Amino acid sequence: MGTFNCIGVLTSGGDAPGMNAAIRAVTRAAISKGIRVKGIFRGYKGLVTNEISELYSDSVSNIIQRGGTILKTARCAEFMTPEGRQVAYDNMVKEGIEALVVIGGDGSLTGARIFAQEFNVPCIGLPGTIDNDLFGTDTTIGYDTALNTIVEAIDKIRDTATSHERLFFIEVMGRDAGFLALNGAIAGGAEAAIIPEYITEEDQLEEFIKRGFRKSKNSSIVLVAESKSKGGALDIVERMKKDFPGYDARVSILGHLQRGGSPTAHDRIIASRMGAAAVDALLEDQRNVMIGIVRDEIVYVPFTRAIKNDKQVKPELIDMLRQLCI
Ligand code: ADP
């Protein structure tokens, strides 16, 4: 059994609803086991610039229902350098912080992995990202909330799509992972999803058009995952105008509203369970693992597996979407 007097917690990278619930759980689980907790502000930046303050039980009151993160989040270029990480480590030691809980996406967990190795610091990661792209957990903190936000938006856009008998391309987040686009399409009753894991965007568009859009319907909605290399939904509509003239196609880019809002019950529950599990993991001498939940059980996933392995969307869901939208 490991013993700790004081641990640090930070949120890093893109914010996600449920991060506050995770901060609350880490703080209260630690305090209930006699461990002090220090909150590090603005992700790794706060470690480098020493923006750190102690969290008490009442510091995390009334936040479980709030989106965003009370600790703020940032991207920190200094932490990408050995010199920056040395400053971060020195500050950590000065503050008496003996272990870190890092809540963030694959970039943040990559940083934690490197830091843990360099300075032999126990680091536990929590998957905090709306994209659901970390391997070894069924879902990530924030994904369910973002998905529900997308579905609400689809329902609203469908009203206007139906009234005007239009084709809408709705762009959602997830430049490397199509979970939000594919499952958003299924839950919103959309006609197709154009996602990064599946053949090229051009081919997916062509396939959708060839399936005979509008033969039996008076409107259509296609979800598009934002594109890493191209222009996303705007680019697709430009191409449509050129290659398939005659369609009244519109674009709606949901953007940052997908990150905000009060977390769903699901996200609050997994954030609470994962936050408490992070403290248990430290006490069990686990280090350099991400906490995941698989089939409703807490699991420990080595950082290298969580980050490096691509979590695959299920190809059968693409086929099922096709069957259900005839
Ligand atoms: P996310 O965690 O949402 O994927 P980023 O990829 O922007 O977000 O990463 C967040 C932060 O994590 C970066 O600004 C940086 O401080 C740290 N980080 C990311 N990759 C590395 C790396 N290879 N080495 C050290 N730190 C990293």
Side-chain angles (χ1 to χ4, degrees), residues 225-262:
E226 65 183 343
S227 177
K228 212 168 7 188
S229 51
K230 305 197 188 110
L234 285 169
D235 196 56
I236 283 177
V237 166
E238 279 309 305
R239 192 170 314 128
M240 264 202 82
K241 282 189 187 146
K242 200 155 57 71
D243 297 346
F244 308 98
Y247 289 94
D248 187 10
R250 299 297 158 103
V251 172
S252 185
I253 298 172
L254 299 189
H256 285 85
L257 70 83
Q258 295 165 85
R259 282 195 197 278
S262 184

Side-chain angles (χ1 to χ4, degrees), residues 12-14 44 74-77 79-80 85 104-111 114:
S12 167
Y44 295 118
R75 298 198 153 93
C76 174
F79 199 76
M80 312 278 269
R85 290 192 293 274
D106 63 342
S108 303
L109 300 193
T110 303
I114 293 167

Side-chain angles (χ1 to χ4, degrees), residues 166-183:
R166 270 180 190 148
L167 166 59
F168 262 88
F169 287 91
I170 302 178
E171 184 178 304
V172 300
M173 285 185 170
R175 63 188 66 225
D176 298 309
F179 293 99
L180 286 172
L182 181 57
N183 286 316

Side-chain angles (χ1 to χ4, degrees), residues 33-143:
K33 292 182 162 87
I35 304 167
R36 290 170 62 200
V37 181
K38 293 204 173 170
I40 296 148
F41 288 83
R42 299 180 178 81
Y44 295 118
K45 199 169 187 171
L47 265 189
V48 175
T49 57
N50 207 3
E51 286 180 272
I52 300 170
S53 55
E54 182 140 2
L55 297 177
Y56 302 96
S57 183
D58 63 358
S59 317
V60 293
S61 294
N62 204 14
I63 64 167
I64 195 167
Q65 77 283 16
R66 283 166 55 192
T69 156
I70 59 160
L71 291 177
K72 317 285 184 201
T73 184
R75 298 198 153 93
C76 174
E78 294 98 311
F79 199 76
M80 312 278 269
T81 66
E83 297 76 21
R85 290 192 293 274
Q86 181 67 54
V87 176
Y89 178 71
D90 293 344
N91 281 328
M92 206 179 139
V93 172
K94 205 160 64 193
E95 288 286 331
I97 298 171
E98 298 153 343
L100 275 187
V101 178
V102 173
I103 309 166
D106 63 342
S108 303
L109 300 193
T110 303
R113 181 182 63 76
I114 293 167
F115 190 62
Q117 267 174 1
E118 254 171 9
F119 297 100
N120 197 23
V121 173
C123 287
I124 303 291
L126 297 190
T129 163
I130 64 166
D131 294 343
N132 199 30
D133 58 351
L134 287 162
F135 185 84
T137 187
D138 287 345
T139 60
T140 54
I141 298 166
Y143 170 65

